[in-house]
Every structure is written in C-alpha cells, then in structure tokens.
Amino acid sequence: MPSHLKPIGREVWRAVWAAGSGAYSPDTDRNIIQRYAELHDRRAALLAAVDNDGLMTVGSTGQPAVHPAMKYVESTERELRAIETVIGFTPEARMRLGIVAAEARRVAAGPEDF
C-alpha cells in the first residue's frame, strides 16, 4: 500500500484488492488502483472543505454561489466512475472481469487440472 494514502485511500486500496479476488495483477494494475485510492482521498478532502465552509458561498458580485470545490468534486467523481468501469465496479464490468478472471484461471491451471 502506498504510504502517502490517507485513511479513505487506504481503506479503498484494501477493498479493491480484496474485491478483485486475484483478478488484479500487482505488476500491471497497481498504478490504476493507486490512482483510484488517491482520487477517493481527494474527494474526501474536497467534501470536508465543503462541509466546513458550507455548500453555498458568496460569489464575486455578492450573489449566492455553490462552493467552488464542488466543481472539483464533480470532476473527481467523473474520474472515479471511469476507473470503476475499468476495474470492475459496475455490474457490466464485473461480469466482464469475472469472465476474464475465470479464463485466466483456466489458462493458468492447464489442461491437466480439469
């Protein structure tokens, strides 16, 4: 686990590797899973700032405006959704990943194991 991850990121890191049930390769998938955990840390920090300051703020001309961090929350969540599709955290992606994982186990096992 990368040492720079904060509590949310560490929790996500552990959960993703556990949910993968051996379908992820530490050599090839580490970076995307690290990015996913880092994005969760970023999202948590942004939402904490919004919680601290309030959802609404005063705009440049005195009008009510949504907290500027919400723009970054939304873009972070878009990135998270994209990664969730890749790592199998949607029903369709899980089905695809399950098929791929089952095929990888079959190939790795060899014909003598069947």
Side-chain angles (χ1 to χ4, degrees), residues 1-88:
M1 177 183 314
S3 61
H4 68 279
L5 292 176
K6 295 176 178 47
I8 296 293
R10 288 193 299 267
E11 180 181 320
V12 166
W13 175 270
R14 284 189 290 271
V16 169
W17 286 105
S21 301
Y24 305 128
S25 166
D27 295 333
T28 59
D29 300 328
R30 176 183 176 79
N31 290 335
I32 195 164
I33 294 171
Q34 178 177 325
R35 177 75 173 137
Y36 186 67
E38 290 167 346
L39 286 167
H40 271 282
D41 277 340
R42 179 196 303 169
R43 181 180 180 275
L46 289 166
L47 289 174
V50 172
D51 283 346
N52 185 56
D53 302 339
L55 179 61
M56 301 303 291
T57 187
V58 178
S60 61
T61 61
Q63 81 284 9
V66 174
H67 195 294
M70 288 305 296
K71 175 175 96 175
Y72 300 108
V73 169
E74 291 169 4
S75 65
T76 299
E77 288 177 347
R78 274 193 301 278
E79 291 181 61
L80 285 167
R81 282 190 299 273
I83 293 173
E84 287 163 357
T85 299
V86 172
I87 63 176

Side-chain angles (χ1 to χ4, degrees), residues 105-114:
R105 284 191 299 273
R106 185 186 66 73
V107 170
E112 67 278 359
D113 295 326
F114 289 95

